[in-house]
């Protein structure tokens, strides 16, 4: 049998580009081995730890599959929802629509809920829309003349709260929180809460279209003049009332937050593709 050469004749060769004078990591290791063979103390190799900056909502431009999980971003979904609501308004009240937005509602138990908001010349409509079945599940009407305060600011929680969130939002008041009953305050499914809290939808950066309809600033720029005009044109108890727009922290009075922790982590408040279940 013939043998191909001898292993002693081979030498390790470092692959480099021409003009690359910087030693590679392999060169560093070999240099340190040579130094240690000469009786020198071995040097420690300092390596920079890679830091991955995590964000609450990853940029869908870099991970498009994340945006496709939300049914609201599917082609034609948001357009169908708006047309359904426009038809409903035309049949029931005939009011003029000033604009529509896709935002996230945060209830008094810190649960996130996907909502479509429409501002007409008289009413703020908050719609729970099923983007899977393309149907309106719940519609809440708030007269603009009843809104007396809007707060913009960062979210805050009680000092002993275990349930906290970062970010900013706005809260719209059409009734006094002091008049809210104890039962509705501690009932996570209560519909008698005299205010609503919103923040931007996680799919804000999916496209230019969603960037426009998911911005809080755009919503506020239409809502505030609409409320002011409604107060001027009101003939009831709201006539002459002035709207207060404040910049202050928004308190969410939750403490343990186990329910919202599970729901928000799994995005249960959104129409979301959750994969196949079965075998």
């Amino acid at each position: 049998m013939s043998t191909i050469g001898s292993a002693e004749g081979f030498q390790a060769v470092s692959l480099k580009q021409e003009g690359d004078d910087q030693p590679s990591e392999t060169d560093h290791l070999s240099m340190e081995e040579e130094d240690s063979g000469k009786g020198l103390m071995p040097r420690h190799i300092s390596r920079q730890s890679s830091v991955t900056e995590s964000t609450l909502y990853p940029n869908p431009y870099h991970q498009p599959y994340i945006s496709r999980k939300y049914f609201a971003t599917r082609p034609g979904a948001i357009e169908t929802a708006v047309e359904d609501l426009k038809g409903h308004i035309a049949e029931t009240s005939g009011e003029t629509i000033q604009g529509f937005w896709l935002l996230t509602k945060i209830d008094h138990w810190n649960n996130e809920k996907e909502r479509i908001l429409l501002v007409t010349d008289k009413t703020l409509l908050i719609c729970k829309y099923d983007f899977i079945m393309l149907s309106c599940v719940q519609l809440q009407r708030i007269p603009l003349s009843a809104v007396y305060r809007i707060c913009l600011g960062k979210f805050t929680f009680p000092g002993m709260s275990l349930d906290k969130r970062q970010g900013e939002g706005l809260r719209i008041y059409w009734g006094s929180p002091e008049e809210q009953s104890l039962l509705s305050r501690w009932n996570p499914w209560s519909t008698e809460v005299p205010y609503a809290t919103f923040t931007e939808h996680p799919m804000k950066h999916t496209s230019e279209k969603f960037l426009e309809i998911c911005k809080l600033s755009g919503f506020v720029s239409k809502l505030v003049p609409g409320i002011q005009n409604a107060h001027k044109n009101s003939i009831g108890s709201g006539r002459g009332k002035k709207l207060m727009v404040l910049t202050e922290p928004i308190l969410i009075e939750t403490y343990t937050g186990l329910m919202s922790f599970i729901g928000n982590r799994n995005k249960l408040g959104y129409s979301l593709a959750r994969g196949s279940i079965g075998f």
Side-chain angles (χ1 to χ4, degrees), residues 9 14-15 28 35 38 40 44 55 58 84 92 98 114 116 131 138 144 174 198 200 217 237 249 260-261:
S14 175
L15 298 178
H28 280 298
D35 291 344
K38 295 178 182 179
L40 299 177
H44 294 285
T55 57
D84 288 349
T92 55
Q98 305 296 328
E114 189 175 50
I116 296 177
F131 284 101
Q138 183 184 42
L144 294 180
W174 58 87
F198 299 97
E200 292 180 336
S217 58
S237 58
S260 63
F261 176 81

Side-chain angles (χ1 to χ4, degrees), residues 96-98 119-124 143-148 150 220-236 238-245:
T96 304
I97 298 175
Q98 305 296 328
V119 176
T120 71
D121 50 351
K122 295 180 180 179
T123 311
L124 168 64
L144 294 180
S145 59
V147 179
Y148 68 93
I150 294 177
V220 174
S221 66
K222 286 288 187 180
L223 179 64
V224 171
I227 295 172
Q228 293 172 341
N229 291 333
H231 285 176
K232 291 178 184 179
N233 300 327
S234 176
I235 58 176
R239 184 174 180 83
K241 190 189 302 182
K242 288 187 177 181
L243 172 68
M244 293 187 297
V245 181

